[in-house]
Amino acid sequence: MSTPSEVPSISNLSELRQSGWKSKTVKHELRDNFLVALQAGDELFPGIVGYDDTVIPEINLAILAGHDMLFLGEKGQAKSRIMRMLVRFLDEWTPYIDHPELPVHEDPMDPITALGKGLVKELPEDQIKISWWHRNDRYSERLSPGTKFADIIGEIDPGKLTSGVSMNAEAALAFGLIPRMHRGIFAMNELPELDDLVQVGLFNILEERDVQIRGYPIKFDLDVMILFSANPSTYNRSGKVIPQLKDRIGSIIQTHYPSDRDQGIAILQQEANDDLGGPFPVQVPYFMYEVVEEITNQARRSKFIDHQSGVSARFSLANFRTMVASARQRSVVLGESPAVPRISDLGHIYSSALGKLELDLMGSHQMSERQVLDAVVAEAIQVVFQKYVEQHGTAEIGEIFKKGVRVEVGDMLPSSVYAERLKRVPPVWEKAFEVNASASEPVRASCVEFVLAGLYSMDHISRSQRHGSIEYEI
């Protein structure tokens, strides 16, 4: 969301008309401002990573075409974030008639309610008060589960009827979210979970741009852009979304997970780097970013995890923050700086990971979530480590352990202990530090754990584990 600039000083309809302001529909406004940004070479969707050649071009065309859009993808694919970002292509400030009894933000040049039309017709323009609506407030969204017709479209207000208002009058209506977002953007998340009756009301709005409540002849044109999000597994299931509504959605934008690990890491760094500063800073070796993101990739591929549910980018973020928290705790307790995450810190991600994975009951064969997560983490370490073995030849280190060398590691073990225990190991160990060249003891300790865990994942060494510590040996 952008920080609002100063509110325009125009305060009545006469001044607004003299300023030369022109009325536009929401989609016309979006298209015009989008074209200006496109011509200027501006970054259209800042912070959205990995969609430059796939998703964003489709959104651009949908905006230019004036389409309502459905964002179709699994959880954690930035669908909601992109929908919220569309407000950046609205005018920063939009004028509306400021009257306490008006239920919507009326266009001063083209009101749609009987009261708004009456004010413009009967009052001198200098007596019609104008206020300004910022673009950040012209977006509203709703989750489908539990949503009723009255919530998003409206209902006859019994209180107004008892006060003598005719049922056939606009004044008898209590407006829902969509009418109240007249001249704005409304988003409905998880469309397939929406009640059939509400879906019928929505496709009437999409086609006719009007509201009809309980069949009474109370109609007025709405100017609103409608956005939807859905999961493919439910959207494509017969009977979940009525065909008439599907037919009226202009563009379907298909999202996806990052196409490679580096894109996932870029998203992770963008979201989490603010957590690394402060009085107890954290320095994360790149291979630890790789391991955390590869855990998510392996979870998405695992035969034990339900692929239709997906594994969100929030899975990576939550695990990363837990790992950082463990490293920071060690740093504070032991007086080490900076805090540097290690493989042993991943022993705490059960709290952040469990519950975010939905097991495939047919494929898991009675495996628990913890067992599935352990398998996923082990596979991720092996995949990342194999890349470094090819680059740095660390396989030689495994030969050392055949001579009976034992190295104990743990999430609360001081970094200096690692250096002390490796003094008796031949110089070949220095190859491990090519993984992340540094003279810092905490960084070197992290490298040691990564290499040990990698060698174990490839069956070069064995491992015994006790609460709080791990011992590697032949």
Side-chain angles (χ1 to χ4, degrees):
M1 294 292 184
S2 58
T3 302
S5 63
E6 188 175 347
V7 180
S9 59
I10 294 170
S11 61
N12 61 62
L13 181 53
S14 176
E15 293 176 356
L16 183 66
R17 197 176 297 278
Q18 292 172 17
S19 72
W21 182 85
K22 300 295 183 183
S23 176
K24 295 179 183 178
T25 65
V26 172
K27 292 178 179 178
H28 190 178
E29 187 182 327
L30 280 164
R31 184 183 65 203
D32 287 354
N33 291 328
F34 173 81
L35 287 171
V36 170
L38 188 65
Q39 184 180 39
D42 295 345
E43 186 177 6
L44 300 175
F45 295 92
I48 301 300
V49 178
Y51 284 172
D52 290 347
D53 300 321
T54 53
V55 177
I56 289 177
E58 301 303 318
I59 299 172
N60 296 349
L61 296 180
I63 293 172
L64 294 175
H67 284 169
D68 298 301
M69 289 179 256
L70 167 71
F71 290 82
L72 190 63
E74 295 169 352
K75 62 185 179 184
Q77 293 183 352
K79 299 187 296 295
S80 294
R81 173 175 289 196
I82 294 172
M83 291 193 294
R84 292 166 191 160
M85 291 183 75
L86 290 177
V87 298
R88 68 193 309 267
F89 300 117
L90 295 172
D91 293 341
E92 182 177 12
W93 293 101
T94 298
Y96 65 93
I97 300 174
D98 188 357
H99 188 281
E101 295 181 19
L102 283 174
V104 300
H105 291 81
E106 286 278 34
D107 185 335
M109 305 295 190
D110 187 21
I112 63 171
T113 64
L115 177 56
K117 292 175 181 177
L119 290 172
V120 171
K121 183 177 180 180
E122 296 168 9
L123 294 178
E125 290 189 347
D126 61 358
Q127 293 183 26
I128 298 175
K129 187 178 179 182
I130 298 297
S131 289
W132 294 85
W133 197 14
H134 193 264
R135 62 183 166 211
N136 288 351
D137 301 319
R138 294 172 65 189
Y139 175 90
S140 181
E141 63 183 39
R142 177 87 181 190
L143 273 171
S144 294
T147 295
K148 303 301 181 185
F149 190 93
D151 297 331
I152 63 168
I153 297 176
E155 182 60 282
I156 303 295
D157 188 339
K160 293 180 179 179
L161 295 180
T162 57
S163 67
V165 176
S166 168
M167 189 175 288
N168 290 337
E170 284 180 12
L173 297 181
F175 290 119
L177 279 171
I178 293 180
R180 290 185 180 277
M181 288 312 297
H182 173 57
R183 305 174 69 213
I185 300 173
F186 176 78
M188 176 59 69
N189 289 304
E190 308 301 336
L191 173 62
E193 305 305 320
L194 199 61
D195 183 85
D196 286 354
L197 178 63
V198 187
Q199 291 189 34
V200 171
L202 276 175
F203 81 66
N204 184 70
I205 289 175
L206 288 171
E207 181 70 15
E208 306 296 338
R209 295 293 159 179
D210 65 27
V211 174
Q212 299 182 36
I213 298 176
R214 287 192 175 272
Y216 291 105
I218 301 169
K219 299 174 60 177
F220 52 82
D221 294 332
L222 284 177
D223 176 22
V224 61
M225 180 181 219
I226 309 281
L227 306 173
F228 303 97
S229 73
N231 187 298
S233 63
T234 51
Y235 182 77
N236 295 324
R237 190 181 303 164
S238 177
K240 295 294 286 185
V241 180
I242 59 177
Q244 297 92 328
L245 181 54
K246 285 185 174 181
D247 188 51
R248 286 163 171 78
I249 297 172
S251 290
I252 294 180
I253 311 298
Q254 295 195 335
T255 59
H256 56 82
Y257 287 125
S259 58
D260 58 54
R261 190 166 63 216
D262 288 339
Q263 285 186 354
I265 292 171
I267 295 171
L268 185 59
Q269 291 176 325
Q270 175 181 277
E271 297 299 313
N273 273 1
D274 288 346
D275 299 339
L276 305 182
F280 301 100
V282 180
Q283 179 183 339
V284 183
Y286 193 74
F287 61 81
M288 291 304 296
Y289 279 110
E290 291 181 290
V291 170
V292 169
E293 184 60 26
E294 188 59 32
I295 290 171
T296 302
N297 290 341
Q298 291 300 322
R300 289 171 183 155
R301 299 187 186 105
S302 173
K303 64 181 180 181
F304 304 124
I305 294 171
D306 184 0
H307 291 180
Q308 290 189 347
S309 172
V311 180
S312 166
R314 289 181 286 273
F315 183 74
S316 292
L317 185 58
N319 291 339
F320 180 83
R321 285 175 170 160
T322 297
M323 178 188 75
V324 165
S326 176
R328 183 170 271 142
Q329 175 180 254
R330 175 175 61 252
S331 170
V332 174
V333 171
L334 300 180
E336 295 184 354
S337 185
V340 180
R342 308 169 181 168
I343 294 294
S344 55
D345 292 316
L346 296 176
H348 299 288
I349 68 170
Y350 295 108
S351 60
S352 55
L354 299 182
K356 293 183 178 64
L357 299 177
E358 295 188 31
L359 300 189
D360 184 332
L361 298 181
M362 297 298 293
S364 58
H365 301 298
Q366 306 303 314
M367 288 180 69
S368 69
E369 282 186 289
R370 279 179 173 259
Q371 289 173 320
V372 170
L373 182 60
D374 286 342
V376 164
V377 171
E379 187 67 25
I381 292 172
Q382 180 176 348
V383 168
V384 176
F385 182 70
Q386 283 176 331
K387 163 190 167 184
Y388 285 94
V389 168
E390 292 175 5
Q391 291 181 2
H392 303 292
T394 49
E396 296 175 48
I397 299 170
E399 296 298 318
I400 297 169
F401 288 84
K402 293 181 179 179
K403 302 173 183 178
V405 173
R406 296 183 180 184
V407 179
E408 183 181 346
V409 302
D411 65 304
M412 292 303 292
L413 201 64
S415 300
S416 58
V417 173
Y418 287 77
E420 184 67 30
R421 291 180 178 177
L422 291 175
K423 282 182 179 177
R424 56 197 174 98
V425 176
V428 68
W429 185 267
E430 287 298 318
K431 284 185 173 292
F433 303 122
E434 296 176 26
V435 168
N436 195 330
S438 175
S440 163
E441 284 189 343
V443 173
R444 291 168 73 85
S446 181
C447 292
V448 168
E449 283 206 19
F450 174 57
V451 172
L452 291 172
L455 291 170
Y456 171 72
S457 73
M458 300 178 70
D459 296 325
H460 290 324
I461 61 177
S462 61
R463 182 180 78 177
S464 59
Q465 189 167 353
R466 301 189 306 275
H467 182 69
S469 68
I470 301 171
E471 188 173 271
Y472 293 96
E473 58 185 322
I474 185 65

